[in-house]
Amino acid sequence: MRNLLVAALLAGSAFVAISPAVAQTIPAPILTTPEAKDVWTHAEPQVARVTHVALDLDVDFASKTLAGSAMLDILAAPGATQVVLDVNGMDISAVTDAGGKPLKWTVGPKDPKNEDIGSALTVDLAGAAKIKIAYRSQPGATALQWLPPEMTFGKKKPFLFSQGESILNRSWVPTQDSPGIRQTWEATLRVPGDMVAVMSAEKLSGDKGEALPDSRRQFRFRMDKPVPPYLIAFAVGDLKFKSLGPRSGVWTEAPMLDKAAKEFVDVEKMIDAASKLYGPYRWGRYDMLVLPPAFPYGGMENPMLTFLTPTIVTGDRSNTDVVAHELAHSWSGNLVTNATWSDSWLNEGFTTYFENRIMEALYGKEQAAIYADLDWDVMQREIAAAGGQTGAATRLHGDPGAGELDYTKGSNFLRMIEYTVGREKWDAYLTSYFDRHAFQPQTTAGFLTDLRERLLKGQPELELKLQLDRWSYAAGLPDNAVRVNSATLAKVDTKLAAFNAGGPASAVQPTGWTTQEWLRFLNGVDRQQTPARLKELDETLGLSASGNAYIQSAWFELAITNRYDPAVPYLRTYLSRIGRGLLVYPLYKGLMKQGDWGQSKARDFFAEAKPTYHPSTAAGIARIVAGQE
């Protein structure tokens, strides 16, 4: 029986049914169908796979490195002699079995086509079921951002955080870094005595850790549920905690703590709403960490500890959809995970749809309609930019890597199914889907097979109406896409039309507008404007000096398009202060389209701001200013 189970876990099997309760205690099967092959990993999990990672690391701010060891549990097929891992820029000093016996190991060359893929670390097992790797990360590890005190809210102590998605964790965790190879993990981190470490796992040593004789503090963590390795995450800083309810709270630096707690006060209601929609929340706690502005994303769904950008803390709770989004990942992405990054939409499209349903449950249909209406605008712009209805980059299942269409087209796909089959049947199916595939990897083909078997069986006309394969594999937007119209945004559109027709900026009267209303207006302003008209807009609405990072970004896009010099000093400050890719990438791209006027500024601003960006953000901007995007 054990050999049959091992074979199923290594190679996957349609004949082995595993209940959710059991699935969270044993390794998930490895999918071996052709579309489940991950081209972004060196691992050969069908031969030998990692099932558990135990990290023991010293955090050294002086050298900007992590040093220590990783003990890996290996599940090997009968006769397997080696295990292949992913590493990127790691200094490895030794590999042994659990008893300290040295094992042979080699590190292969990097892939010149994609250096982020790193190298293969191949270890001769010599019969070992556990291997221990002694190593040190490098100062430029792509998953880690080391911030000096001046880049934090408190301005007194440095800060460190990791960002693993998609394949960056291999720069500090030597494991099989693929979303289809789920692993449990534990960690011990030793940090300076006046700092706090947090991780995406259960805390075993309390909020303040354990004092060590050398004045440092030790923090211990455990994740007993198998997760994709990109979700192993941590942060170290001058962190404080405030409880928001029995299951939730917020971590951040003291100057941001009360603001963040006030902004996220509804999180317990969100957890209840999400659980009522699609089944129980399986991760215990849902805490949040608000990071310094250099954090590259809106949020990152690290289990038990969502990482969030401070740009969503705007004082009016109009951007808490980001919290709903990351919470929804606790089902779509964390619970049921895309087996490869070619199916990122299974992660982001499902989550964007789920997020919208949470917002509707809490705040009503109109609030949800606002977000869906804006998503439609984004989807149309992205499809146009990606080649229109025939552009290969508009496909859901495609080349690895998440883009905005994974979010918007993916969620519209699911909304179309809901509208076509009916919400009651669709919700029952989704609840069952998350339950049956809990703690498992998934592919587009697997989802479609499940959908046809569980929801559409015996209904060929309905399946034909849904156009499932066209949505999943073809370019463009099918003709059964669903647009949701917002009455709130329609009022904004009326003011926008008046302004574009030559009306005064004073007639806009945006008092009380949410971020979403601002974005609808600013993104809809005619792109070609005179300097006088831009000055009127800026001075009347206070755009350049706005305290809302979303408003500033949208305004700067318009200013850049028209080479509006008075906005440039504000733009320069903004690009050195904000590290969120969603907000800064369009500005660099806009500058690069403006010939000598913009390109010189893009290069100068990037040279100045580069130290403030996460390595992944800096790499993306470097490609933009080099003319590669």
Side-chain angles (χ1 to χ4, degrees):
M1 183 65 183
R2 180 186 182 278
N3 287 340
L4 288 175
L5 181 59
V6 168
L9 296 177
L10 284 166
S13 172
F15 304 102
V16 177
I18 303 174
S19 71
V22 174
Q24 73 177 44
T25 64
I26 65 173
I30 297 296
L31 302 183
T32 57
T33 51
E35 76 278 0
K37 180 176 175 55
D38 185 354
V39 299
W40 276 2
T41 182
H42 298 93
E44 299 172 356
Q46 72 279 12
V47 176
R49 59 172 298 190
V50 176
T51 61
H52 182 76
V53 179
L55 300 170
D56 188 271
L57 298 170
D58 295 312
V59 178
D60 188 345
F61 279 88
S63 65
K64 296 183 179 179
T65 64
L66 308 176
S69 66
M71 181 81 80
L72 310 181
D73 289 14
I74 307 298
L75 180 64
T81 60
Q82 295 180 326
V83 63
V84 182
L85 311 173
D86 294 301
V87 295
N88 188 11
M90 207 173 282
D91 296 326
I92 299 170
S93 55
V95 181
T96 68
D97 66 12
K101 178 183 175 182
L103 299 174
K104 293 182 180 179
W105 57 277
T106 59
V107 176
K110 283 193 174 185
D111 184 337
K113 296 180 181 178
N114 187 347
E115 290 199 352
D116 283 342
I117 294 177
S119 304
L121 169 58
T122 303
V123 179
D124 289 349
L125 291 171
K130 289 179 178 283
I131 62 173
K132 184 177 182 179
I133 303 167
Y135 69 99
R136 181 183 292 271
S137 69
Q138 293 184 345
T142 52
L144 307 179
Q145 185 164 14
W146 304 80
L147 301 176
E150 57 268 25
M151 288 181 62
T152 69
F153 294 117
K155 310 296 183 185
K156 296 178 181 179
K157 298 176 185 177
F159 199 104
L160 166 64
F161 68 88
S162 69
Q163 171 56 43
E165 192 179 22
S166 302
I167 57 171
L168 301 182
N169 267 355
R170 62 191 65 181
S171 67
W172 74 278
V173 182
T175 188
Q176 293 174 322
D177 189 13
S178 172
I181 312 174
R182 300 179 73 107
Q183 303 151 33
T184 55
W185 62 274
E186 60 189 288
T188 298
L189 299 181
R190 286 171 293 277
V191 307
D194 59 349
M195 305 186 83
V196 170
V198 292
M199 293 195 83
S200 53
E202 177 189 4
K203 296 190 297 291
L204 300 180
S205 52
D207 290 351
K208 296 183 179 180
E210 302 159 341
L212 297 175
D214 61 3
S215 79
R216 293 184 300 168
R217 301 196 75 81
Q218 175 175 281
F219 293 83
R220 295 179 294 112
F221 306 88
R222 175 181 60 200
M223 172 52 68
D224 60 0
K225 301 170 179 63
V227 297
Y230 69 86
L231 293 178
I232 303 173
F234 78 99
V236 180
D238 187 12
L239 295 170
K240 310 297 180 185
F241 178 77
K242 190 165 188 174
S243 175
L244 296 176
R247 298 163 293 184
S248 63
V250 60
W251 287 94
T252 189
E253 296 173 81
M256 178 57 73
L257 189 59
D258 288 340
K259 295 178 185 177
K262 183 178 180 180
E263 200 83 4
F264 307 146
V265 69
D266 285 342
V267 68
E268 287 283 342
K269 295 178 182 178
M270 287 185 177
I271 299 171
D272 288 338
S275 300
K276 186 175 180 180
L277 279 167
Y278 297 129
Y281 179 74
R282 301 175 189 266
W283 304 92
R285 290 194 60 80
Y286 184 78
D287 291 326
M288 295 161 286
L289 170 68
V290 178
L291 293 113
F295 184 61
Y297 298 113
M300 181 62 211
E301 63 272 17
N302 300 312
M304 302 184 72
L305 186 67
T306 279
F307 285 21
L308 294 168
T309 172
T311 61
I312 69 172
V313 182
T314 50
D316 59 1
R317 301 177 191 165
S318 64
N319 298 296
T320 54
D321 58 308
V322 175
V323 177
H325 183 93
E326 306 312 330
L327 171 63
H329 271 301
S330 301
W331 285 259
S332 50
N334 297 6
L335 193 63
V336 185
T337 308
N338 47 284
T340 79
W341 295 110
S342 292
D343 282 329
S344 296
W345 82 273
L346 290 175
N347 187 322
E348 298 299 353
F350 271 69
T351 299
T352 302
Y353 172 82
F354 192 173
E355 161 209 330
N356 196 259
R357 293 292 305 278
I358 294 172
M359 298 304 283
E360 178 183 325
L362 284 185
Y363 306 116
K365 287 184 176 295
E366 175 56 22
Q367 187 68 20
I370 291 172
Y371 296 110
D373 199 341
L374 286 177
D375 279 350
W376 179 273
D377 291 346
V378 173
M379 179 173 64
Q380 295 298 330
R381 289 196 297 269
E382 290 294 319
I383 288 175
Q389 283 293 99
T390 60
T394 65
R395 298 174 299 168
L396 288 180
H397 174 81
D399 294 331
E404 281 297 315
L405 288 175
D406 286 331
Y407 297 74
T408 55
K409 183 181 175 182
S411 61
N412 202 287
F413 180 16
L414 302 192
R415 181 175 292 113
M416 179 277 299
I417 299 176
E418 178 209 325
Y419 277 50
T420 305
V421 306
R423 175 170 284 192
E424 185 176 353
K425 288 183 179 179
W426 174 238
D427 283 353
Y429 167 76
L430 265 189
T431 301
S432 171
Y433 174 81
F434 288 131
D435 189 59
R436 288 180 290 105
H437 297 279
F439 305 103
Q440 304 279 324
Q442 181 62 287
T443 63
T444 294
F447 164 63
L448 295 182
T449 297
D450 191 273
L451 185 67
R452 287 168 169 136
E453 179 66 25
R454 300 280 180 165
L455 184 64
L456 307 175
K457 192 171 184 178
Q459 304 177 79
E461 293 184 359
L462 176 58
E463 181 176 332
L464 185 66
K465 185 177 181 179
L466 292 172
Q467 304 181 59
L468 300 179
D469 288 335
R470 183 178 177 189
W471 272 98
S472 300
Y473 299 114
L477 187 67
D479 56 11
N480 60 348
V482 175
R483 178 166 190 179
V484 177
N485 294 297
S486 160
T488 301
L489 295 183
K491 295 177 182 178
V492 176
D493 290 342
T494 299
K495 293 187 175 185
L496 173 63
F499 178 81
N500 282 336
S506 58
V508 176
Q509 297 183 337
T511 302
W513 270 8
T514 64
T515 298
Q516 290 70 38
E517 290 167 286
W518 276 105
L519 292 180
R520 179 66 155 234
F521 179 82
L522 290 172
N523 290 332
V525 170
D526 290 340
R527 294 296 90 178
Q528 299 303 315
Q529 298 288 337
T530 65
R533 191 66 159 158
L534 291 171
K535 181 180 180 181
E536 178 192 358
L537 256 184
D538 194 10
E539 293 182 351
T540 302
L541 304 183
L543 299 174
S544 289
S546 171
N548 185 312
Y550 292 86
I551 294 173
Q552 283 186 295
S553 181
W555 158 245
F556 290 141
E557 282 195 66
L558 180 63
I560 289 167
T561 298
N562 293 277
R563 303 185 181 186
Y564 183 62
D565 286 314
V568 171
Y570 297 92
L571 170 64
R572 184 173 201 153
T573 300
Y574 182 89
L575 291 174
S576 291
R577 184 173 60 87
I578 302 297
R580 185 179 176 186
L582 177 73
L583 301 179
V584 300
Y585 287 148
L587 306 182
Y588 281 105
K589 289 179 180 179
L591 286 170
M592 291 301 294
K593 292 178 181 178
Q594 295 303 319
D596 292 341
W597 181 89
Q599 291 176 13
S600 60
K601 291 179 176 61
R603 288 188 287 267
D604 289 346
F605 295 170
F606 178 51
E608 181 179 292
K610 184 177 179 180
T612 72
Y613 295 139
H614 185 273
S616 63
T617 306
I621 298 172
R623 290 192 294 271
I624 293 171
V625 300
Q628 298 171 0
E629 290 190 9

